Every structure is written in structure tokens, then in C-alpha cells.
């Protein structure tokens, strides 16, 4: 049962990141009108750096794909982790209204990392 729950959560998690990454290239989801001022200025600054958003988009797409596939889930969890840290910090300091969703996604990522801790042991030996 635990494996089925983990697969469903991993599938949804991966699809969310694939969607977010694709949106950075295709811009099919408009920015909300009611974003806090700090968030708007941060997003504008990140878009000024021409290579940053495509890099994050590629990391989200690849990480999401890896996260969905059970054999590569451990690698996907590590690839997505820096993006998740950025999402958490952004929601803590600039847009606290999105914090519950960010915490849920962060918890899923940590759960997958914990479940695959044996896969990471050779890296830290």
C-alpha cells in the first residue's frame, strides 16, 4: 500500500514540475494579478537574467521526469531538491500564502529521499 501511495504522489509531484518547467518556455499559464510586490520584483529580476529561467525550467522538466520513473526517482529527488529549497524560501519570505502547498511538496520530496537513502550511501562513503 505504501508503494502505491508513493507512486501516486511521485506521479503528481513529477507532473507538477514538468508542467512548471514547460510553462517557463511556453508561457501558457498567466502570472496571477494579485502577486505581492516583493514577488513581482523578484520575478522581474530573475527574468532579467536571461539564462536563469530556462535553466530552472530544464531542471524542473528533467527532475519531474526522473521523479515519475521508479528506477530514477532517487536521482529525480536530488535534482529537484535545490529547486524545492528555492520554492520554500520564496514562500517563506515573499509569498506566505503558498506555503502550505510548498510544505506538502517539500515533504513529498523528503519522503522520496528518505525512502531511497540506500541509493545515496555510495556517494557519501
Amino acid at each position: 500500500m505504501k508503494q502505491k501511495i508513493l507512486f501516486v504522489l511521485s506521479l503528481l509531484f513529477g507532473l507538477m514540475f514538468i508542467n512548471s518547467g514547460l510553462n517557463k518556455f511556453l508561457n501558457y499559464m498567466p502570472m496571477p494579478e494579485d502577486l505581492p510586490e516583493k514577488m513581482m520584483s523578484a520575478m522581474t529580476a530573475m527574468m532579467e537574467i536571461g539564462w536563469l529561467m530556462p535553466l530552472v525550467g530544464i531542471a524542473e522538466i528533467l527532475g519531474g521526469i526522473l521523479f515519475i520513473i521508479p528506477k530514477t526517482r532517487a536521482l529525480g529527488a536530488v535534482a529537484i531538491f535545490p529547486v524545492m529549497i528555492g520554492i520554500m524560501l520564496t514562500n517563506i519570505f515573499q509569498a506566505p500564502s503558498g506555503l502550505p502547498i510548498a510544505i506538502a511538496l517539500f515533504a513529498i520530496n523528503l519522503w522520496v529521499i528518505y525512502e531511497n537513502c540506500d541509493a545515496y550511501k555510495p556517494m557519501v562513503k
Side-chain angles (χ1 to χ4, degrees):
M1 184 68 171
K2 182 172 96 170
Q3 292 302 328
K4 289 180 182 180
I5 293 170
L6 184 61
F7 176 74
V8 169
L9 288 177
S10 297
L11 178 65
L12 294 173
F13 184 94
L15 289 174
M16 288 175 72
F17 273 92
I18 292 169
N19 181 46
S20 177
L22 287 174
N23 187 53
K24 291 188 177 46
F25 293 105
L26 305 175
N27 295 318
Y28 54 85
M29 293 186 306
M31 291 282 271
E33 300 281 329
D34 59 344
L35 279 179
E37 186 64 33
K38 283 181 167 182
M39 186 74 161
M40 283 300 288
S41 60
M43 292 301 286
T44 304
M46 284 191 281
M47 287 183 200
E48 286 291 319
I49 303 170
W51 56 267
L52 184 59
M53 290 309 243
L55 177 66
V56 173
I58 289 170
E60 288 176 345
I61 292 167
L62 290 177
I65 291 169
L66 291 170
F67 209 93
I68 290 172
I69 302 167
K71 240 182 179 176
T72 60
R73 192 169 291 148
L75 179 59
V78 171
I80 290 286
F81 192 72
V83 176
M84 273 307 311
I85 294 295
I87 291 169
M88 286 296 293
L89 292 174
T90 299
N91 280 285
I92 289 170
F93 294 113
Q94 295 180 344
S97 63
L99 198 55
I101 294 170
I103 290 172
L105 291 173
F106 192 65
I108 293 168
N109 198 0
L110 288 177
W111 184 26
V112 168
I113 289 172
Y114 176 76
E115 287 293 319
N116 292 291
C117 65
D118 290 336
Y120 308 123
K121 285 182 182 175
M123 291 190 294
V124 291
K125 274 190 176 181

